[in-house]
Amino acid sequence: MANDTTITVIGNLTADPELRFTQSGIAVASFTIASTPRAFDKQANEWRDGEALFLRCSIWRDAAENVADSLEKGARVIAQGNLVQRSFTDRDGNNRTSIELNVLEVGPSLKYATAKPNKVDRRNGGRPAAPSPQGEQWNGGGQAAPAADPWAGGGNQGGYDDPPF
């Protein structure tokens, strides 16, 4: 939507993502990101932590399954999405408001870690995709064996912009 509040959050997962499925079979993963601001105190010559923000997040469909397969408690992540505000009445009859992040994109932070993405073809039961017409083989480890260098320029040569399915 045009008036959505889009934000990017960097922080650590407080627990493993929880994967569930709706009655119609759509996957949704829920998780919480803890983001703690840090500032350098010149007087004390040390870093000081600010107050932590705990933000509930949800992500849908194939991305939800990928999150559940890829991320775990403590993982440092970068998530981008839309803030959603919900109003409800609690068990005691009090009006409450919660703010959640409807995640559109999420991945591990590579500032202090490495990651090797795995290309998944969910239509093929999660197995590696079949070889592409360009001669690539997706081996399930995310490593494509390109027939030509996909970063060499000159247009799409079967690189990451042209998955084999």
Side-chain angles (χ1 to χ4, degrees):
M1 296 183 150
N3 294 327
D4 286 344
T5 302
T6 301
I7 65 166
T8 301
V9 177
I10 302 171
N12 296 69
L13 297 186
T14 61
D16 290 344
E18 179 185 327
L19 181 64
R20 295 175 286 114
F21 292 87
T22 65
Q23 289 181 352
S24 59
I26 297 172
V28 59
S30 300
F31 53 94
T32 300
I33 297 175
S35 180
T36 306
R38 298 190 88 202
F40 190 75
D41 182 346
K42 291 182 182 179
Q43 301 283 341
N45 197 33
E46 65 184 13
W47 288 95
R48 304 252 179 186
D49 288 341
E51 191 170 336
L53 167 71
F54 294 89
L55 187 58
R56 281 300 290 164
C57 303
S58 60
I59 189 164
W60 294 81
R61 296 180 172 75
D62 286 349
E65 295 183 57
N66 293 342
V67 164
D69 289 344
S70 303
L71 301 176
E72 59 188 20
K73 178 180 179 178
R76 187 151 185 87
V77 297
I78 303 168
Q80 185 177 44
N82 300 320
L83 284 179
V84 177
Q85 180 174 307
R86 290 187 170 76
S87 297
F88 61 96
T89 304
D90 66 13
R91 294 177 187 159
D92 298 327
N94 299 315
N95 292 328
R96 301 283 185 180
T97 301
S98 70
I99 296 176
E100 298 177 5
L101 184 64
N102 184 14
V103 176
L104 302 173
E105 296 282 346
V106 63
S109 170
L110 300 181
K111 188 172 183 179
Y112 303 110
T114 62
K116 296 202 184 279
N118 296 324
K119 184 69 178 164
V120 177
D121 182 1
R122 296 230 182 264
R123 294 174 291 174
N124 193 16
R127 294 185 302 273
S132 74
Q134 289 86 10
E136 291 180 344
Q137 172 72 44
W138 291 86
N139 63 11
Q143 305 300 323
D149 183 0
W151 307 111
N156 188 348
Q157 299 175 0
Y160 292 110
D161 291 332
D162 187 20
F165 49 87

